[in-house]
Amino acid sequence: MNTGNGEFSYAKNSTLQEIVIRKAIPILEHTIKSMASLNRDIVFGKCFNIADLGCSSGTNTLLVASIIIDIVHEVCKENNHNAPQFQVYLNDLYGNDFNGIFKLLPDFHAKLTREKGGNFGPCFISAVPGSFYGRLFPDQTLHLIHSSYSVHWLSQVPEGLDDNKSNIYIARTSPQNVLEAYRKQFYSDFTKFLKLRSMELVSGGRMVLIFHGRSIVDPCSSESCRLLGILAQSLVNLLKEGLVQESDINSFNIPCYTPCEDEVRDAINIEGSFSLATMNVFESNWDPYDIDYTNMNDLKEHSRIRAKNAARVLRAIMEPLLTSHFGNSIIDPLFNKYEKHLAEHIANNKKTRYFNVLISLTKK
């Protein structure tokens, strides 16, 4: 993600992620209340241990912690229990802007004291840098794991993508072996993720995950491929202008995968450490400031502003990946092209949306 607080930083362009996090509040409430009813010692013990995996930076990071703490506090009040102490572990890769998060902590603690009183908590917050495709915590130390918009990122670019010419992800023109390589990498990574988390959760611990997915079996469906397909189209435009090399485009593939619901269920069943408590799906508009979810069509005069907002979201996420491969000089012209192509797509198609998968898991 783009660090800092600049115009194209993740911190300034993560409204979409906030919308998605808030969508999960009812599932978090149900999950924590279920924990309290089935195993009182977990929620009503001395300390409630929470991990937010792929926390990134900006206000959304502490928003997740605030939501969970509020829910636990309310559950304790409903059951005439004092709230426990809280230990919140914030995890992301080593390059994450943890210093930016730490600067928000004084206001976060002051807000907790103001809203809940000086005797509440205390709440301890720690950073745990590292990949969640490796071990992060000691055995059986966590009560609740949360992760939003992170698990669709793979541990690496799948092997065997040499034939995926002029594409940067799965596309209609991708050979079958490319589709299989992405699917295989997802199954390997997701089952490993589940296995590792099962070691770190206490018996009966829960996990709530939100990630990009797709509504149909076909991995080349427009809802999962079109956004990145337009980015590939924009890179090809720069190739024609001599701003990038063809070999650089052909060797660039994005390490993410948007699974369908059946693939998620299959991976959970194959790994075997968790039972699937709930699976919900919902859509979110490419433009996070477009709050109209009843109309599938959009006015053409809105297409430019929709494209600008959607492009900023993707740039905040993708710019470090693109810069490391192509260099910094192409970023502005690339996203100028991208915004133009997005506007054309939005003007000539039905309203474009992300398909999101929300699951709650219980450790067996």
Side-chain angles (χ1 to χ4, degrees):
M1 309 299 176
N2 274 342
T3 59
N5 290 289
E7 180 182 1
F8 300 110
S9 66
Y10 180 82
K12 289 288 180 67
N13 295 279
S14 52
T15 299
L16 170 66
Q17 289 80 358
E18 179 184 351
I19 291 169
V20 170
I21 288 167
R22 292 190 182 279
K23 276 278 191 180
I25 291 177
I27 296 300
L28 280 168
E29 289 177 339
H30 178 78
T31 297
I32 292 169
K33 287 180 179 179
S34 176
M35 293 171 71
S37 64
L38 294 175
N39 193 335
R40 297 174 65 86
D41 291 340
I42 291 181
V43 177
F44 303 135
K46 290 185 177 180
C47 187
F48 191 70
N49 296 325
I50 306 159
D52 187 21
L53 307 184
C55 67
S56 195
S57 58
T59 55
N60 286 344
T61 300
L62 297 178
L63 172 64
V64 171
S66 294
I67 289 170
I68 294 172
I69 289 169
D70 286 346
I71 295 170
V72 173
H73 185 229
E74 286 303 312
V75 170
C76 289
K77 283 174 59 179
E78 291 171 4
N79 289 270
N80 297 316
H81 272 272
N82 292 326
Q85 298 181 18
F86 293 91
Q87 173 67 61
V88 179
Y89 299 101
L90 304 176
N91 158 259
D92 213 311
L93 297 175
Y94 293 102
N96 188 53
D97 186 12
F98 287 108
N99 284 334
I101 299 171
F102 296 153
K103 291 175 182 177
L104 300 174
L105 290 180
D107 288 341
F108 173 79
H109 287 298
K111 182 173 182 286
L112 278 181
T113 301
R114 184 171 63 251
E115 292 181 351
K116 297 180 172 57
N119 294 326
F120 177 81
C123 175
F124 305 97
I125 296 183
S126 304
V128 183
S131 169
F132 52 52
Y133 293 118
R135 280 296 299 270
L136 295 168
F137 307 99
D139 289 350
Q140 301 185 50
T141 54
L142 300 177
H143 300 113
L144 177 65
I145 294 174
H146 171 277
S147 182
S148 180
Y149 268 24
S150 296
V151 180
H152 55 262
W153 289 102
L154 303 173
S155 65
Q156 63 180 48
V157 175
E159 296 180 356
L161 303 185
D162 295 341
D163 295 334
N164 203 26
K165 305 296 184 182
S166 299
N167 297 317
I168 61 174
Y169 180 58
I170 296 170
R172 287 289 177 193
T173 57
S174 296
Q176 184 63 32
N177 68 287
V178 170
L179 278 58
E180 291 299 327
Y182 267 103
R183 184 181 293 112
K184 180 180 178 181
Q185 188 68 50
F186 165 75
Y187 270 106
S188 174
D189 284 344
F190 192 51
T191 53
K192 183 177 183 180
F193 174 88
L194 295 172
K195 181 178 178 62
L196 295 173
R197 303 294 80 81
S198 72
M199 297 177 184
E200 297 163 349
L201 279 165
V202 301
S203 178
R206 305 296 180 95
M207 187 155 58
V208 175
L209 309 176
I210 318 164
F211 45 88
H212 285 312
R214 63 181 193 275
S215 63
I216 60 177
V217 173
D218 182 7
C220 301
S221 63
S222 179
E223 69 183 5
S224 62
C225 299
R226 190 57 189 143
L227 198 69
L228 296 180
I230 295 172
L231 186 61
Q233 178 185 357
S234 304
L235 281 167
V236 171
N237 290 155
L238 296 188
L239 169 63
K240 293 176 180 178
E241 296 176 8
L243 298 179
V244 299
Q245 299 294 319
E246 183 176 14
S247 59
D248 287 338
I249 297 177
N250 290 339
S251 61
F252 181 71
N253 290 280
I254 294 175
C256 69
Y257 186 73
T258 55
C260 67
E261 295 169 66
D262 285 345
E263 288 175 320
V264 175
R265 288 192 183 92
D266 288 347
I268 294 168
N269 291 333
I270 289 169
E271 195 282 324
S273 297
F274 291 88
S275 59
L276 179 61
T278 60
M279 175 182 284
N280 292 356
V281 297
F282 63 95
E283 293 181 317
S284 51
N285 290 323
W286 282 4
D287 173 7
Y289 300 102
D290 177 10
I291 59 174
D292 181 5
Y293 285 91
T294 60
N295 184 7
M296 278 303 295
N297 296 310
D298 215 341
L299 297 175
K300 289 193 175 183
E301 56 263 33
H302 290 168
S303 62
R304 291 184 65 184
I305 188 64
R306 299 276 185 258
K308 181 178 181 179
N309 292 337
R312 281 174 173 266
V313 171
L314 198 74
R315 178 169 179 169
I317 297 168
M318 294 290 184
E319 184 169 346
L321 271 176
L322 292 161
T323 298
S324 66
H325 190 84
F326 296 99
N328 186 62
S329 62
I330 73 153
I331 298 300
D332 284 339
L334 173 63
F335 280 96
N336 288 337
K337 300 279 188 188
Y338 184 63
E339 188 176 316
K340 178 183 176 182
H341 289 313
L342 271 183
E344 293 170 353
H345 176 76
I346 292 169
N348 295 302
N349 293 273
K350 288 185 176 181
K351 186 171 289 191
T352 45
R353 293 173 175 169
Y354 295 103
F355 184 82
N356 305 296
V357 179
L358 167 59
I359 60 174
S360 175
L361 302 166
T362 304
K363 179 182 172 180
K364 294 179 179 178

